[in-house]
Amino acid sequence: MEDKLKKLSTSMDQEISKEKVFTKMDEQHILSRIKQDTKVPTNQPISFIPKLLTAALFLGIIFSSYLFFDNEWISKPNVFIKKETPVSPMLTYKISGEGSVRYSPYLDKGQLNIKLLIKNETSAKLKEPLSYRITFLNEKLVNAVGTKTFLVEPKNLPPLGPNERESITKQFVLTGEVVKEDLINAIQVDTISGTKALNTFVIDAIEIDAQITDKEVAEEKKEEPTQEKEISVGEAKQIFNQNLADLKDTFIKSGEKNNWGVDNPAIYEVAGPDFEPYVTENFSTNVLKKLLPIYYCQCDIGYLPRINQEVRFIVNSFNKNTIEISGIEPASDMKNIGYKWNFRLVKVDNKWKMDRWEETSLEGIDLNLTKDEARKLLTTESQNATFLKEVRLKGTTNYVFSVIGEEYESIVAISSSDTTLTHDYEVLKKE
């Protein structure tokens, strides 16, 4: 405060020295008054002039101060502007990628095989499946391929989970010959989510096969059986999800085609062949045969597994021919008890098929779910869950959440033991 007063005093002094105290008219009035006062007898005291000068000086100071306040304080107000709190940045997905290209020249055409390996480096699951834009940067290569860019949109692949990978292969038949120099730094790949590119890289791993004839290629295929690569955990989950999606789609199409319903239950001998591309004979005999007659009951209880992909979704074992996987189907309002599912898929004639599935009730089993796992079980595409508190109900830990959907909002407690849901937990708590 003291520094501000000093600054104000200094500024006022400067302004007083700059501005005129008396106007021309003031000067004329003062001189005229002085002349009149000179005629006053000498025995009368002359006191008016000092008073007038003092008043004029005071008015000049006030006037100068007004100019100072007008020019300095009003034109440059001492206003503190509140800095806006920066908005927390949205989650940024980190995607890594690499690729390789293999060129196989033939007598009249060439074949370009591009393989991509993509990994989700973040600790969160992607919101949607990825697509890939391949751009050819070399003019000769563009002419041989017939396009500048090509968008690869893998079908039926789920969004990548934390640290999961996916492998994508795309083949192009070339109409012109290219050499290795045409492929160096000539293929760019953009990893896309929605309309946003999450990662861009240029393929630098290039292989060129020796030029061979179609006949030689056919004979090589006969002599050398294809060596199958081991799959990854992420690929195992993708295979399972694809198979389950195919089964659900087949149930729908079979029902529409044959008009299955309560009064017309499905007949295994009629519907069974529709499922042959996706299930083994073992599954068809032991599971499908029992499931089909009751599946089209038009009741609220579903008969197909609804596996949560975020909690305890585990690949127990896998190799190039077998996948063992397990998951949790949490309790719902329609079926207020959770289930644990175990699945087995096998490869038959180079195609993955469901060989076995088993469900076990979670009643009497303690999953010992964490608060975060409980939140994930209650969170879906159409509703969000916000944790409120932890309570004990019948000796079991329950997590209370506010669940908000598009047209509803409720308070629900979920059991950490078996995922059972309780809406009136306050009443139950008093019992």
Side-chain angles (χ1 to χ4, degrees):
M1 180 63 73
E2 185 178 349
D3 291 338
K4 291 182 178 180
L5 290 173
K6 288 181 179 179
K7 182 178 179 181
L8 175 61
S9 177
T10 302
S11 300
M12 290 178 65
D13 290 342
Q14 292 175 350
E15 291 298 324
I16 290 171
S17 63
K18 286 193 275 186
E19 301 294 336
K20 290 183 178 181
V21 177
F22 302 112
T23 64
K24 286 290 184 180
M25 186 173 291
D26 291 333
E27 291 176 359
Q28 291 175 3
H29 282 302
I30 292 170
L31 290 175
S32 174
R33 189 68 181 182
I34 292 172
K35 289 179 181 179
Q36 291 176 8
D37 289 341
T38 54
K39 299 177 182 179
V40 178
T42 55
N43 59 348
Q44 294 183 1
I46 303 174
S47 60
F48 178 76
I49 293 176
K51 292 180 181 180
L52 183 61
L53 291 173
T54 301
L57 179 61
F58 178 78
L59 289 173
I61 292 172
I62 295 301
F63 183 72
S64 298
S65 300
Y66 170 80
L67 291 177
F68 170 79
F69 283 107
D70 182 61
N71 294 334
E72 293 295 325
W73 282 16
I74 297 178
S75 62
K76 300 177 181 178
N78 187 18
V79 178
F80 292 97
I81 300 175
K82 183 179 179 181
K83 295 183 179 179
E84 294 184 1
T85 304
V87 178
S88 300
M90 296 179 64
L91 174 64
T92 302
Y93 294 108
K94 182 181 179 183
I95 303 297
S96 63
E98 58 183 13
S100 61
V101 58
R102 187 183 188 93
Y103 174 58
S104 302
Y106 293 88
L107 289 176
D108 57 347
K109 60 183 178 180
Q111 208 170 69
L112 198 66
N113 292 282
I114 298 176
K115 185 172 182 179
L116 310 176
L117 185 61
I118 309 299
K119 182 179 180 182
N120 177 14
E121 300 281 1
T122 52
S123 58
K125 183 178 179 179
L126 301 182
K127 291 185 177 180
E128 54 189 335
L130 297 171
S131 57
Y132 305 94
R133 181 172 60 238
I134 299 175
T135 304
F136 300 101
L137 307 176
N138 180 286
E139 185 177 353
K140 187 175 179 181
L141 188 57
V142 170
N143 293 331
V145 176
T147 182
K148 174 74 174 178
T149 62
F150 188 89
L151 186 64
V152 180
E153 298 179 286
K155 293 183 178 180
N156 301 317
L157 289 183
L160 281 178
N163 297 312
E164 285 187 351
R165 301 172 182 265
E166 66 182 21
S167 180
I168 306 296
T169 301
K170 180 60 185 175
Q171 185 180 91
F172 296 91
V173 176
L174 306 187
T175 57
E177 184 179 355
V178 296
V179 295
K180 185 174 183 178
E181 286 71 21
D182 299 324
L183 300 174
I184 296 175
N185 296 325
I187 302 175
Q188 176 180 299
V189 179
D190 297 299
T191 305
I192 301 171
S193 176
T195 59
K196 183 179 180 182
L198 301 181
N199 175 262
T200 300
F201 62 91
V202 175
I203 297 176
D204 55 9
I206 302 169
E207 293 184 35
I208 305 290
D209 291 338
Q211 186 168 351
I212 55 177
T213 64
D214 292 337
K215 182 178 179 181
E216 289 173 327
V217 171
E219 296 202 355
E220 280 186 4
K221 289 182 178 179
K222 291 180 182 178
E223 295 174 359
E224 298 182 10
T226 304
Q227 293 185 352
E228 299 180 42
K229 290 184 64 178
E230 294 288 343
I231 61 174
S232 66
V233 171
E235 289 171 332
K237 290 182 178 180
Q238 291 174 9
I239 291 168
F240 165 78
N241 287 328
Q242 180 62 59
N243 181 270
L244 197 59
D246 289 337
L247 287 177
K248 290 179 180 179
D249 187 56
T250 305
F251 271 107
I252 294 172
K253 290 180 178 178
S254 179
E256 293 173 347
K257 180 175 67 174
N258 300 289
N259 197 29
W260 304 127
V262 178
D263 299 326
N264 182 34
I267 301 172
Y268 170 72
E269 288 73 17
V270 176
D274 294 335
F275 294 85
E276 288 182 0
Y278 313 112
V279 302
T280 64
E281 185 177 348
N282 175 58
F283 185 91
S284 183
T285 302
N286 295 302
V287 178
L288 191 61
K289 195 171 186 178
K290 300 175 183 177
L291 180 59
L292 274 170
I294 62 173
Y295 181 81
Y296 301 97
C297 66
Q298 297 180 356
C299 49
D300 293 328
I301 298 177
Y303 291 101
L304 295 184
R306 297 178 298 108
I307 303 302
N308 187 281
Q309 303 278 317
E310 300 291 331
V311 179
R312 314 287 176 95
F313 184 42
I314 302 170
V315 178
N316 300 306
S317 65
F318 63 95
N319 55 45
K320 61 185 179 182
N321 294 314
T322 306
I323 297 173
E324 299 276 353
I325 202 166
S326 62
I328 292 175
E329 178 181 350
S332 65
D333 288 332
M334 295 296 179
K335 190 165 54 174
N336 196 14
I337 187 65
Y339 292 89
K340 181 179 179 181
W341 286 81
N342 289 288
F343 305 89
R344 183 173 187 266
L345 293 92
V346 298
K347 184 176 278 190
V348 180
D349 296 331
N350 206 36
K351 183 173 178 62
W352 288 99
K353 297 185 177 185
M354 186 68 73
D355 184 55
R356 174 178 59 85
W357 73 27
E358 294 177 348
E359 63 172 334
T360 305
S361 172
L362 293 177
E363 186 175 3
I365 298 176
D366 187 3
L367 292 175
N368 195 25
L369 293 172
T370 65
K371 178 176 66 178
D372 189 55
E373 286 178 322
R375 179 187 60 79
K376 290 177 179 178
L377 290 178
L378 290 175
T379 301
T380 65
E381 291 183 358
S382 60
Q383 70 179 30
N384 292 317
T386 303
F387 176 74
L388 298 179
K389 59 183 175 179
E390 181 179 317
V391 297
R392 296 283 294 180
L393 301 177
K394 293 185 176 181
T396 302
T397 298
N398 278 249
Y399 303 109
V400 181
F401 288 87
S402 170
V403 179
I404 301 176
E406 294 179 357
E407 299 180 354
Y408 60 88
E409 181 175 355
S410 64
I411 305 297
V412 63
I414 179 172
S415 170
S416 65
S417 177
D418 57 11
T419 75
T420 302
L421 303 178
T422 305
H423 290 277
D424 53 350
Y425 74 93
E426 289 290 357
V427 176
L428 187 61
K429 187 178 178 182
K430 294 177 183 178
E431 295 180 356

